[in-house]
PDB file of all heavy atoms in Angstrom:
ATOM      1  N   PHE Y 554       0.815  -1.204   0.000  1.00 76.00           N
ATOM      2  CA  PHE Y 554       0.000   0.000   0.000  1.00 76.00           C
ATOM      3  C   PHE Y 554       0.857   1.265   0.000  1.00 76.00           C
ATOM      4  O   PHE Y 554       0.429   2.312  -0.486  1.00 76.00           O
ATOM      5  CB  PHE Y 554      -0.936   0.008   1.211  1.00 76.00           C
ATOM      6  CG  PHE Y 554      -2.160  -0.840   1.041  1.00 76.00           C
ATOM      7  CD1 PHE Y 554      -2.208  -2.129   1.547  1.00 76.00           C
ATOM      8  CD2 PHE Y 554      -3.271  -0.349   0.362  1.00 76.00           C
ATOM      9  CE1 PHE Y 554      -3.333  -2.912   1.395  1.00 76.00           C
ATOM     10  CE2 PHE Y 554      -4.407  -1.136   0.211  1.00 76.00           C
ATOM     11  CZ  PHE Y 554      -4.442  -2.424   0.719  1.00 76.00           C
ATOM     12  N   ALA Y 555       2.060   1.171   0.583  1.00 76.00           N
ATOM     13  CA  ALA Y 555       2.933   2.354   0.623  1.00 76.00           C
ATOM     14  C   ALA Y 555       3.274   2.828  -0.785  1.00 76.00           C
ATOM     15  O   ALA Y 555       3.376   4.042  -1.034  1.00 76.00           O
ATOM     16  CB  ALA Y 555       4.210   2.026   1.396  1.00 76.00           C
ATOM     17  N   LYS Y 556       3.471   1.888  -1.726  1.00 75.00           N
ATOM     18  CA  LYS Y 556       3.763   2.279  -3.104  1.00 75.00           C
ATOM     19  C   LYS Y 556       2.579   3.009  -3.733  1.00 75.00           C
ATOM     20  O   LYS Y 556       2.749   3.960  -4.511  1.00 75.00           O
ATOM     21  CB  LYS Y 556       4.112   1.033  -3.915  1.00 75.00           C
ATOM     22  CG  LYS Y 556       5.363   0.311  -3.433  1.00 75.00           C
ATOM     23  CD  LYS Y 556       5.614  -0.955  -4.245  1.00 75.00           C
ATOM     24  CE  LYS Y 556       6.841  -1.706  -3.725  1.00 75.00           C
ATOM     25  NZ  LYS Y 556       7.088  -2.963  -4.476  1.00 75.00           N
ATOM     26  N   VAL Y 557       1.371   2.560  -3.384  1.00 72.00           N
ATOM     27  CA  VAL Y 557       0.178   3.227  -3.913  1.00 72.00           C
ATOM     28  C   VAL Y 557       0.035   4.620  -3.324  1.00 72.00           C
ATOM     29  O   VAL Y 557      -0.253   5.599  -4.034  1.00 72.00           O
ATOM     30  CB  VAL Y 557      -1.083   2.378  -3.608  1.00 72.00           C
ATOM     31  CG1 VAL Y 557      -2.340   3.092  -4.102  1.00 72.00           C
ATOM     32  CG2 VAL Y 557      -0.959   1.002  -4.247  1.00 72.00           C
ATOM     33  N   PHE Y 558       0.257   4.739  -1.995  1.00 72.00           N
ATOM     34  CA  PHE Y 558       0.112   6.032  -1.337  1.00 72.00           C
ATOM     35  C   PHE Y 558       1.162   7.033  -1.833  1.00 72.00           C
ATOM     36  O   PHE Y 558       0.918   8.246  -1.836  1.00 72.00           O
ATOM     37  CB  PHE Y 558       0.235   5.872   0.177  1.00 72.00           C
ATOM     38  CG  PHE Y 558      -0.862   5.033   0.785  1.00 72.00           C
ATOM     39  CD1 PHE Y 558      -0.653   4.349   1.980  1.00 72.00           C
ATOM     40  CD2 PHE Y 558      -2.095   4.911   0.167  1.00 72.00           C
ATOM     41  CE1 PHE Y 558      -1.658   3.573   2.538  1.00 72.00           C
ATOM     42  CE2 PHE Y 558      -3.101   4.140   0.724  1.00 72.00           C
ATOM     43  CZ  PHE Y 558      -2.886   3.468   1.904  1.00 72.00           C
ATOM     44  N   ALA Y 559       2.346   6.524  -2.227  1.00 70.00           N
ATOM     45  CA  ALA Y 559       3.405   7.423  -2.691  1.00 70.00           C
ATOM     46  C   ALA Y 559       2.995   8.161  -3.948  1.00 70.00           C
ATOM     47  O   ALA Y 559       3.480   9.272  -4.223  1.00 70.00           O
ATOM     48  CB  ALA Y 559       4.690   6.632  -2.935  1.00 70.00           C
ATOM     49  N   GLY Y 560       2.096   7.569  -4.757  1.00 69.00           N
ATOM     50  CA  GLY Y 560       1.652   8.219  -5.996  1.00 69.00           C
ATOM     51  C   GLY Y 560       0.568   9.240  -5.793  1.00 69.00           C
ATOM     52  O   GLY Y 560       0.178   9.919  -6.757  1.00 69.00           O
ATOM     53  N   PHE Y 561       0.050   9.363  -4.564  1.00 64.00           N
ATOM     54  CA  PHE Y 561      -1.012  10.334  -4.314  1.00 64.00           C
ATOM     55  C   PHE Y 561      -0.482  11.767  -4.378  1.00 64.00           C
ATOM     56  O   PHE Y 561      -1.178  12.686  -4.795  1.00 64.00           O
ATOM     57  CB  PHE Y 561      -1.658  10.084  -2.949  1.00 64.00           C
ATOM     58  CG  PHE Y 561      -2.537   8.867  -2.919  1.00 64.00           C
ATOM     59  CD1 PHE Y 561      -3.176   8.487  -1.743  1.00 64.00           C
ATOM     60  CD2 PHE Y 561      -2.741   8.088  -4.058  1.00 64.00           C
ATOM     61  CE1 PHE Y 561      -3.996   7.378  -1.704  1.00 64.00           C
ATOM     62  CE2 PHE Y 561      -3.557   6.974  -4.027  1.00 64.00           C
ATOM     63  CZ  PHE Y 561      -4.184   6.612  -2.851  1.00 64.00           C
ATOM     64  N   GLY Y 562       0.762  11.923  -3.905  1.00 63.00           N
ATOM     65  CA  GLY Y 562       1.341  13.265  -3.875  1.00 63.00           C
ATOM     66  C   GLY Y 562       0.623  14.198  -2.938  1.00 63.00           C
ATOM     67  O   GLY Y 562       0.582  15.409  -3.191  1.00 63.00           O
ATOM     68  N   ALA Y 563       0.018  13.663  -1.873  1.00 63.00           N
ATOM     69  CA  ALA Y 563      -0.733  14.485  -0.915  1.00 63.00           C
ATOM     70  C   ALA Y 563      -0.314  14.130   0.498  1.00 63.00           C
ATOM     71  O   ALA Y 563       0.337  13.103   0.741  1.00 63.00           O
ATOM     72  CB  ALA Y 563      -2.240  14.281  -1.104  1.00 63.00           C
ATOM     73  N   GLN Y 564      -0.701  15.005   1.444  1.00 69.00           N
ATOM     74  CA  GLN Y 564      -0.415  14.772   2.860  1.00 69.00           C
ATOM     75  C   GLN Y 564      -1.259  13.604   3.356  1.00 69.00           C
ATOM     76  O   GLN Y 564      -2.491  13.631   3.246  1.00 69.00           O
ATOM     77  CB  GLN Y 564      -0.710  16.029   3.666  1.00 69.00           C
ATOM     78  CG  GLN Y 564      -0.477  15.891   5.151  1.00 69.00           C
ATOM     79  CD  GLN Y 564       1.003  15.829   5.504  1.00 69.00           C
ATOM     80  OE1 GLN Y 564       1.846  16.255   4.723  1.00 69.00           O
ATOM     81  NE2 GLN Y 564       1.335  15.294   6.660  1.00 69.00           N
ATOM     82  N   LEU Y 565      -0.604  12.583   3.897  1.00 73.00           N
ATOM     83  CA  LEU Y 565      -1.314  11.402   4.391  1.00 73.00           C
ATOM     84  C   LEU Y 565      -1.811  11.640   5.809  1.00 73.00           C
ATOM     85  O   LEU Y 565      -1.194  12.391   6.572  1.00 73.00           O
ATOM     86  CB  LEU Y 565      -0.393  10.179   4.359  1.00 73.00           C
ATOM     87  CG  LEU Y 565       0.085   9.723   2.968  1.00 73.00           C
ATOM     88  CD1 LEU Y 565       1.084   8.579   3.107  1.00 73.00           C
ATOM     89  CD2 LEU Y 565      -1.096   9.288   2.106  1.00 73.00           C
ATOM     90  N   PRO Y 566      -2.901  10.980   6.209  1.00 75.00           N
ATOM     91  CA  PRO Y 566      -3.401  11.112   7.586  1.00 75.00           C
ATOM     92  C   PRO Y 566      -2.375  10.603   8.598  1.00 75.00           C
ATOM     93  O   PRO Y 566      -1.476   9.824   8.271  1.00 75.00           O
ATOM     94  CB  PRO Y 566      -4.668  10.242   7.589  1.00 75.00           C
ATOM     95  CG  PRO Y 566      -5.071  10.122   6.159  1.00 75.00           C
ATOM     96  CD  PRO Y 566      -3.799  10.169   5.367  1.00 75.00           C
ATOM     97  N   LEU Y 567      -2.527  11.064   9.848  1.00 79.00           N
ATOM     98  CA  LEU Y 567      -1.583  10.699  10.908  1.00 79.00           C
ATOM     99  C   LEU Y 567      -1.535   9.192  11.123  1.00 79.00           C
ATOM    100  O   LEU Y 567      -0.450   8.617  11.269  1.00 79.00           O
ATOM    101  CB  LEU Y 567      -1.983  11.401  12.209  1.00 79.00           C
ATOM    102  CG  LEU Y 567      -1.156  11.030  13.455  1.00 79.00           C
ATOM    103  CD1 LEU Y 567       0.304  11.418  13.252  1.00 79.00           C
ATOM    104  CD2 LEU Y 567      -1.730  11.698  14.695  1.00 79.00           C
ATOM    105  N   MET Y 568      -2.701   8.531  11.140  1.00 78.00           N
ATOM    106  CA  MET Y 568      -2.726   7.083  11.371  1.00 78.00           C
ATOM    107  C   MET Y 568      -1.973   6.341  10.275  1.00 78.00           C
ATOM    108  O   MET Y 568      -1.246   5.389  10.542  1.00 78.00           O
ATOM    109  CB  MET Y 568      -4.177   6.602  11.434  1.00 78.00           C
ATOM    110  CG  MET Y 568      -4.319   5.130  11.835  1.00 78.00           C
ATOM    111  SD  MET Y 568      -3.749   4.822  13.522  1.00 78.00           S
ATOM    112  CE  MET Y 568      -5.010   5.700  14.446  1.00 78.00           C
ATOM    113  N   THR Y 569      -2.116   6.800   9.034  1.00 80.00           N
ATOM    114  CA  THR Y 569      -1.409   6.157   7.924  1.00 80.00           C
ATOM    115  C   THR Y 569       0.090   6.353   8.053  1.00 80.00           C
ATOM    116  O   THR Y 569       0.878   5.422   7.812  1.00 80.00           O
ATOM    117  CB  THR Y 569      -1.906   6.736   6.588  1.00 80.00           C
ATOM    118  OG1 THR Y 569      -3.332   6.584   6.509  1.00 80.00           O
ATOM    119  CG2 THR Y 569      -1.267   6.008   5.414  1.00 80.00           C
ATOM    120  N   ARG Y 570       0.507   7.576   8.425  1.00 81.00           N
ATOM    121  CA  ARG Y 570       1.941   7.837   8.581  1.00 81.00           C
ATOM    122  C   ARG Y 570       2.539   6.976   9.699  1.00 81.00           C
ATOM    123  O   ARG Y 570       3.675   6.496   9.581  1.00 81.00           O
ATOM    124  CB  ARG Y 570       2.172   9.323   8.880  1.00 81.00           C
ATOM    125  CG  ARG Y 570       1.779  10.247   7.731  1.00 81.00           C
ATOM    126  CD  ARG Y 570       2.443  11.617   7.856  1.00 81.00           C
ATOM    127  NE  ARG Y 570       2.144  12.262   9.118  1.00 81.00           N
ATOM    128  CZ  ARG Y 570       1.102  13.055   9.331  1.00 81.00           C
ATOM    129  NH1 ARG Y 570       0.223  13.287   8.343  1.00 81.00           N
ATOM    130  NH2 ARG Y 570       0.904  13.639  10.501  1.00 81.00           N
ATOM    131  N   LEU Y 571       1.769   6.778  10.771  1.00 83.00           N
ATOM    132  CA  LEU Y 571       2.257   5.928  11.857  1.00 83.00           C
ATOM    133  C   LEU Y 571       2.410   4.477  11.400  1.00 83.00           C
ATOM    134  O   LEU Y 571       3.414   3.818  11.709  1.00 83.00           O
ATOM    135  CB  LEU Y 571       1.287   6.001  13.048  1.00 83.00           C
ATOM    136  CG  LEU Y 571       1.247   7.328  13.812  1.00 83.00           C
ATOM    137  CD1 LEU Y 571       0.168   7.288  14.891  1.00 83.00           C
ATOM    138  CD2 LEU Y 571       2.607   7.612  14.444  1.00 83.00           C
ATOM    139  N   LEU Y 572       1.424   3.969  10.653  1.00 82.00           N
ATOM    140  CA  LEU Y 572       1.516   2.599  10.147  1.00 82.00           C
ATOM    141  C   LEU Y 572       2.702   2.433   9.203  1.00 82.00           C
ATOM    142  O   LEU Y 572       3.453   1.446   9.280  1.00 82.00           O
ATOM    143  CB  LEU Y 572       0.221   2.218   9.433  1.00 82.00           C
ATOM    144  CG  LEU Y 572      -0.974   1.825  10.309  1.00 82.00           C
ATOM    145  CD1 LEU Y 572      -2.197   1.537   9.453  1.00 82.00           C
ATOM    146  CD2 LEU Y 572      -0.638   0.608  11.159  1.00 82.00           C
ATOM    147  N   LEU Y 573       2.878   3.386   8.286  1.00 83.00           N
ATOM    148  CA  LEU Y 573       3.994   3.299   7.344  1.00 83.00           C
ATOM    149  C   LEU Y 573       5.335   3.384   8.070  1.00 83.00           C
ATOM    150  O   LEU Y 573       6.290   2.668   7.722  1.00 83.00           O
ATOM    151  CB  LEU Y 573       3.880   4.415   6.303  1.00 83.00           C
ATOM    152  CG  LEU Y 573       2.677   4.318   5.344  1.00 83.00           C
ATOM    153  CD1 LEU Y 573       2.647   5.518   4.402  1.00 83.00           C
ATOM    154  CD2 LEU Y 573       2.734   3.022   4.542  1.00 83.00           C
ATOM    155  N   GLY Y 574       5.414   4.254   9.082  1.00 85.00           N
ATOM    156  CA  GLY Y 574       6.660   4.371   9.837  1.00 85.00           C
ATOM    157  C   GLY Y 574       6.990   3.114  10.607  1.00 85.00           C
ATOM    158  O   GLY Y 574       8.152   2.673  10.632  1.00 85.00           O
ATOM    159  N   PHE Y 575       5.962   2.530  11.229  1.00 84.00           N
ATOM    160  CA  PHE Y 575       6.194   1.289  11.987  1.00 84.00           C
ATOM    161  C   PHE Y 575       6.577   0.148  11.055  1.00 84.00           C
ATOM    162  O   PHE Y 575       7.454  -0.661  11.367  1.00 84.00           O
ATOM    163  CB  PHE Y 575       4.931   0.929  12.775  1.00 84.00           C
ATOM    164  CG  PHE Y 575       5.099  -0.254  13.679  1.00 84.00           C
ATOM    165  CD1 PHE Y 575       5.908  -0.204  14.789  1.00 84.00           C
ATOM    166  CD2 PHE Y 575       4.449  -1.455  13.394  1.00 84.00           C
ATOM    167  CE1 PHE Y 575       6.075  -1.302  15.620  1.00 84.00           C
ATOM    168  CE2 PHE Y 575       4.605  -2.566  14.225  1.00 84.00           C
ATOM    169  CZ  PHE Y 575       5.418  -2.478  15.331  1.00 84.00           C
ATOM    170  N   SER Y 576       5.925   0.079   9.877  1.00 84.00           N
ATOM    171  CA  SER Y 576       6.259  -0.963   8.902  1.00 84.00           C
ATOM    172  C   SER Y 576       7.685  -0.799   8.392  1.00 84.00           C
ATOM    173  O   SER Y 576       8.438  -1.770   8.272  1.00 84.00           O
ATOM    174  CB  SER Y 576       5.269  -0.918   7.735  1.00 84.00           C
ATOM    175  OG  SER Y 576       5.645  -1.827   6.725  1.00 84.00           O
ATOM    176  N   GLU Y 577       8.084   0.433   8.108  1.00 85.00           N
ATOM    177  CA  GLU Y 577       9.448   0.685   7.634  1.00 85.00           C
ATOM    178  C   GLU Y 577      10.472   0.325   8.705  1.00 85.00           C
ATOM    179  O   GLU Y 577      11.541  -0.230   8.405  1.00 85.00           O
ATOM    180  CB  GLU Y 577       9.581   2.148   7.229  1.00 85.00           C
ATOM    181  CG  GLU Y 577      10.942   2.504   6.631  1.00 85.00           C
ATOM    182  CD  GLU Y 577      11.028   3.961   6.216  1.00 85.00           C
ATOM    183  OE1 GLU Y 577      10.014   4.676   6.352  1.00 85.00           O
ATOM    184  OE2 GLU Y 577      12.105   4.386   5.773  1.00 85.00           O
ATOM    185  N   PHE Y 578      10.139   0.629   9.956  1.00 86.00           N
ATOM    186  CA  PHE Y 578      11.044   0.282  11.062  1.00 86.00           C
ATOM    187  C   PHE Y 578      11.228  -1.230  11.148  1.00 86.00           C
ATOM    188  O   PHE Y 578      12.358  -1.719  11.321  1.00 86.00           O
ATOM    189  CB  PHE Y 578      10.474   0.826  12.365  1.00 86.00           C
ATOM    190  CG  PHE Y 578      11.229   0.382  13.595  1.00 86.00           C
ATOM    191  CD1 PHE Y 578      12.434   0.956  13.937  1.00 86.00           C
ATOM    192  CD2 PHE Y 578      10.731  -0.643  14.395  1.00 86.00           C
ATOM    193  CE1 PHE Y 578      13.139   0.544  15.060  1.00 86.00           C
ATOM    194  CE2 PHE Y 578      11.418  -1.071  15.517  1.00 86.00           C
ATOM    195  CZ  PHE Y 578      12.628  -0.470  15.856  1.00 86.00           C
ATOM    196  N   MET Y 579      10.135  -2.012  11.027  1.00 84.00           N
ATOM    197  CA  MET Y 579      10.234  -3.469  11.114  1.00 84.00           C
ATOM    198  C   MET Y 579      11.021  -4.046   9.945  1.00 84.00           C
ATOM    199  O   MET Y 579      11.800  -4.990  10.103  1.00 84.00           O
ATOM    200  CB  MET Y 579       8.838  -4.093  11.170  1.00 84.00           C
ATOM    201  CG  MET Y 579       8.102  -3.884  12.477  1.00 84.00           C
ATOM    202  SD  MET Y 579       6.643  -4.932  12.627  1.00 84.00           S
ATOM    203  CE  MET Y 579       7.401  -6.557  12.690  1.00 84.00           C
ATOM    204  N   ILE Y 580      10.827  -3.472   8.746  1.00 85.00           N
ATOM    205  CA  ILE Y 580      11.548  -3.979   7.572  1.00 85.00           C
ATOM    206  C   ILE Y 580      13.045  -3.719   7.702  1.00 85.00           C
ATOM    207  O   ILE Y 580      13.880  -4.575   7.372  1.00 85.00           O
ATOM    208  CB  ILE Y 580      10.983  -3.327   6.293  1.00 85.00           C
ATOM    209  CG1 ILE Y 580       9.548  -3.807   6.056  1.00 85.00           C
ATOM    210  CG2 ILE Y 580      11.868  -3.645   5.084  1.00 85.00           C
ATOM    211  CD1 ILE Y 580       8.861  -3.106   4.905  1.00 85.00           C
ATOM    212  N   ASN Y 581      13.421  -2.533   8.178  1.00 86.00           N
ATOM    213  CA  ASN Y 581      14.840  -2.163   8.262  1.00 86.00           C
ATOM    214  C   ASN Y 581      15.547  -2.801   9.453  1.00 86.00           C
ATOM    215  O   ASN Y 581      16.758  -3.050   9.388  1.00 86.00           O
ATOM    216  CB  ASN Y 581      14.972  -0.641   8.343  1.00 86.00           C
ATOM    217  CG  ASN Y 581      14.499   0.046   7.074  1.00 86.00           C
ATOM    218  OD1 ASN Y 581      14.545  -0.544   5.981  1.00 86.00           O
ATOM    219  ND2 ASN Y 581      14.033   1.290   7.193  1.00 86.00           N
ATOM    220  N   TRP Y 582      14.798  -3.050  10.521  1.00 87.00           N
ATOM    221  CA  TRP Y 582      15.437  -3.506  11.753  1.00 87.00           C
ATOM    222  C   TRP Y 582      14.978  -4.894  12.192  1.00 87.00           C
ATOM    223  O   TRP Y 582      15.181  -5.265  13.347  1.00 87.00           O
ATOM    224  CB  TRP Y 582      15.154  -2.509  12.889  1.00 87.00           C
ATOM    225  CG  TRP Y 582      15.779  -1.166  12.665  1.00 87.00           C
ATOM    226  CD1 TRP Y 582      15.222  -0.085  12.069  1.00 87.00           C
ATOM    227  CD2 TRP Y 582      17.111  -0.794  13.010  1.00 87.00           C
ATOM    228  NE1 TRP Y 582      16.095   0.969  12.027  1.00 87.00           N
ATOM    229  CE2 TRP Y 582      17.276   0.556  12.605  1.00 87.00           C
ATOM    230  CE3 TRP Y 582      18.186  -1.444  13.611  1.00 87.00           C
ATOM    231  CZ2 TRP Y 582      18.473   1.254  12.792  1.00 87.00           C
ATOM    232  CZ3 TRP Y 582      19.366  -0.755  13.804  1.00 87.00           C
ATOM    233  CH2 TRP Y 582      19.505   0.577  13.391  1.00 87.00           C
ATOM    234  N   TRP Y 583      14.389  -5.681  11.285  1.00 83.00           N
ATOM    235  CA  TRP Y 583      13.877  -6.979  11.715  1.00 83.00           C
ATOM    236  C   TRP Y 583      14.974  -7.919  12.243  1.00 83.00           C
ATOM    237  O   TRP Y 583      14.697  -8.697  13.172  1.00 83.00           O
ATOM    238  CB  TRP Y 583      13.083  -7.649  10.587  1.00 83.00           C
ATOM    239  CG  TRP Y 583      13.904  -8.148   9.422  1.00 83.00           C
ATOM    240  CD1 TRP Y 583      14.156  -7.501   8.262  1.00 83.00           C
ATOM    241  CD2 TRP Y 583      14.561  -9.417   9.334  1.00 83.00           C
ATOM    242  NE1 TRP Y 583      14.943  -8.261   7.441  1.00 83.00           N
ATOM    243  CE2 TRP Y 583      15.202  -9.452   8.075  1.00 83.00           C
ATOM    244  CE3 TRP Y 583      14.673 -10.520  10.176  1.00 83.00           C
ATOM    245  CZ2 TRP Y 583      15.952 -10.539   7.645  1.00 83.00           C
ATOM    246  CZ3 TRP Y 583      15.411 -11.609   9.749  1.00 83.00           C
ATOM    247  CH2 TRP Y 583      16.040 -11.608   8.504  1.00 83.00           C
ATOM    248  N   PRO Y 584      16.209  -7.901  11.709  1.00 87.00           N
ATOM    249  CA  PRO Y 584      17.225  -8.781  12.330  1.00 87.00           C
ATOM    250  C   PRO Y 584      17.494  -8.424  13.787  1.00 87.00           C
ATOM    251  O   PRO Y 584      17.602  -9.308  14.649  1.00 87.00           O
ATOM    252  CB  PRO Y 584      18.472  -8.553  11.456  1.00 87.00           C
ATOM    253  CG  PRO Y 584      17.947  -8.035  10.157  1.00 87.00           C
ATOM    254  CD  PRO Y 584      16.769  -7.207  10.528  1.00 87.00           C
ATOM    255  N   ALA Y 585      17.578  -7.098  14.049  1.00 90.00           N
ATOM    256  CA  ALA Y 585      17.816  -6.677  15.433  1.00 90.00           C
ATOM    257  C   ALA Y 585      16.626  -7.028  16.324  1.00 90.00           C
ATOM    258  O   ALA Y 585      16.797  -7.443  17.481  1.00 90.00           O
ATOM    259  CB  ALA Y 585      18.094  -5.177  15.484  1.00 90.00           C
ATOM    260  N   LEU Y 586      15.402  -6.872  15.786  1.00 85.00           N
ATOM    261  CA  LEU Y 586      14.204  -7.229  16.559  1.00 85.00           C
ATOM    262  C   LEU Y 586      14.176  -8.724  16.850  1.00 85.00           C
ATOM    263  O   LEU Y 586      13.805  -9.147  17.962  1.00 85.00           O
ATOM    264  CB  LEU Y 586      12.949  -6.815  15.792  1.00 85.00           C
ATOM    265  CG  LEU Y 586      12.688  -5.307  15.665  1.00 85.00           C
ATOM    266  CD1 LEU Y 586      11.497  -5.052  14.747  1.00 85.00           C
ATOM    267  CD2 LEU Y 586      12.430  -4.704  17.038  1.00 85.00           C
ATOM    268  N   LEU Y 587      14.565  -9.550  15.868  1.00 88.00           N
ATOM    269  CA  LEU Y 587      14.576 -10.997  16.066  1.00 88.00           C
ATOM    270  C   LEU Y 587      15.596 -11.401  17.122  1.00 88.00           C
ATOM    271  O   LEU Y 587      15.292 -12.191  18.033  1.00 88.00           O
ATOM    272  CB  LEU Y 587      14.874 -11.705  14.742  1.00 88.00           C
ATOM    273  CG  LEU Y 587      14.891 -13.237  14.773  1.00 88.00           C
ATOM    274  CD1 LEU Y 587      13.530 -13.773  15.196  1.00 88.00           C
ATOM    275  CD2 LEU Y 587      15.291 -13.801  13.409  1.00 88.00           C
ATOM    276  N   VAL Y 588      16.811 -10.838  17.010  1.00 93.00           N
ATOM    277  CA  VAL Y 588      17.855 -11.143  17.996  1.00 93.00           C
ATOM    278  C   VAL Y 588      17.435 -10.665  19.376  1.00 93.00           C
ATOM    279  O   VAL Y 588      17.626 -11.361  20.388  1.00 93.00           O
ATOM    280  CB  VAL Y 588      19.193 -10.506  17.575  1.00 93.00           C
ATOM    281  CG1 VAL Y 588      20.232 -10.660  18.682  1.00 93.00           C
ATOM    282  CG2 VAL Y 588      19.703 -11.135  16.287  1.00 93.00           C
ATOM    283  N   GLY Y 589      16.840  -9.471  19.441  1.00 92.00           N
ATOM    284  CA  GLY Y 589      16.397  -8.944  20.729  1.00 92.00           C
ATOM    285  C   GLY Y 589      15.307  -9.794  21.362  1.00 92.00           C
ATOM    286  O   GLY Y 589      15.317 -10.029  22.576  1.00 92.00           O
ATOM    287  N   THR Y 590      14.363 -10.288  20.532  1.00 89.00           N
ATOM    288  CA  THR Y 590      13.286 -11.133  21.058  1.00 89.00           C
ATOM    289  C   THR Y 590      13.833 -12.449  21.589  1.00 89.00           C
ATOM    290  O   THR Y 590      13.464 -12.894  22.688  1.00 89.00           O
ATOM    291  CB  THR Y 590      12.243 -11.409  19.960  1.00 89.00           C
ATOM    292  OG1 THR Y 590      11.725 -10.164  19.480  1.00 89.00           O
ATOM    293  CG2 THR Y 590      11.110 -12.261  20.498  1.00 89.00           C
ATOM    294  N   VAL Y 591      14.734 -13.083  20.812  1.00 93.00           N
ATOM    295  CA  VAL Y 591      15.335 -14.347  21.258  1.00 93.00           C
ATOM    296  C   VAL Y 591      16.138 -14.138  22.536  1.00 93.00           C
ATOM    297  O   VAL Y 591      16.064 -14.943  23.479  1.00 93.00           O
ATOM    298  CB  VAL Y 591      16.213 -14.948  20.143  1.00 93.00           C
ATOM    299  CG1 VAL Y 591      16.974 -16.163  20.655  1.00 93.00           C
ATOM    300  CG2 VAL Y 591      15.362 -15.330  18.934  1.00 93.00           C
ATOM    301  N   SER Y 592      16.911 -13.045  22.577  1.00 95.00           N
ATOM    302  CA  SER Y 592      17.709 -12.759  23.778  1.00 95.00           C
ATOM    303  C   SER Y 592      16.816 -12.519  24.984  1.00 95.00           C
ATOM    304  O   SER Y 592      17.128 -12.961  26.097  1.00 95.00           O
ATOM    305  CB  SER Y 592      18.595 -11.534  23.540  1.00 95.00           C
ATOM    306  OG  SER Y 592      19.461 -11.735  22.441  1.00 95.00           O
ATOM    307  N   LEU Y 593      15.692 -11.838  24.749  1.00 93.00           N
ATOM    308  CA  LEU Y 593      14.763 -11.567  25.838  1.00 93.00           C
ATOM    309  C   LEU Y 593      14.165 -12.857  26.380  1.00 93.00           C
ATOM    310  O   LEU Y 593      14.064 -13.047  27.605  1.00 93.00           O
ATOM    311  CB  LEU Y 593      13.649 -10.634  25.356  1.00 93.00           C
ATOM    312  CG  LEU Y 593      12.671 -10.125  26.417  1.00 93.00           C
ATOM    313  CD1 LEU Y 593      13.405  -9.259  27.439  1.00 93.00           C
ATOM    314  CD2 LEU Y 593      11.546  -9.329  25.763  1.00 93.00           C
ATOM    315  N   VAL Y 594      13.791 -13.780  25.480  1.00 91.00           N
ATOM    316  CA  VAL Y 594      13.210 -15.056  25.908  1.00 91.00           C
ATOM    317  C   VAL Y 594      14.232 -15.888  26.666  1.00 91.00           C
ATOM    318  O   VAL Y 594      13.946 -16.437  27.741  1.00 91.00           O
ATOM    319  CB  VAL Y 594      12.673 -15.832  24.685  1.00 91.00           C
ATOM    320  CG1 VAL Y 594      12.252 -17.243  25.088  1.00 91.00           C
ATOM    321  CG2 VAL Y 594      11.496 -15.102  24.062  1.00 91.00           C
ATOM    322  N   VAL Y 595      15.465 -15.965  26.117  1.00 93.00           N
ATOM    323  CA  VAL Y 595      16.515 -16.750  26.775  1.00 93.00           C
ATOM    324  C   VAL Y 595      16.864 -16.142  28.133  1.00 93.00           C
ATOM    325  O   VAL Y 595      17.032 -16.849  29.135  1.00 93.00           O
ATOM    326  CB  VAL Y 595      17.766 -16.841  25.877  1.00 93.00           C
ATOM    327  CG1 VAL Y 595      18.925 -17.493  26.625  1.00 93.00           C
ATOM    328  CG2 VAL Y 595      17.450 -17.616  24.606  1.00 93.00           C
ATOM    329  N   GLY Y 596      16.983 -14.805  28.177  1.00 93.00           N
ATOM    330  CA  GLY Y 596      17.292 -14.141  29.435  1.00 93.00           C
ATOM    331  C   GLY Y 596      16.199 -14.330  30.474  1.00 93.00           C
ATOM    332  O   GLY Y 596      16.480 -14.541  31.660  1.00 93.00           O
TER     333      GLY Y 596
END
């Protein structure tokens, strides 16, 4: 959906920006999140 929204060329609602930001964070940092989750469970 982010690719579709990028073609709008308009200001996106706050809820949409939060979802896109959280999704981008998970995509970029998923290895660190996975290691952190495993470490948390083991600890």
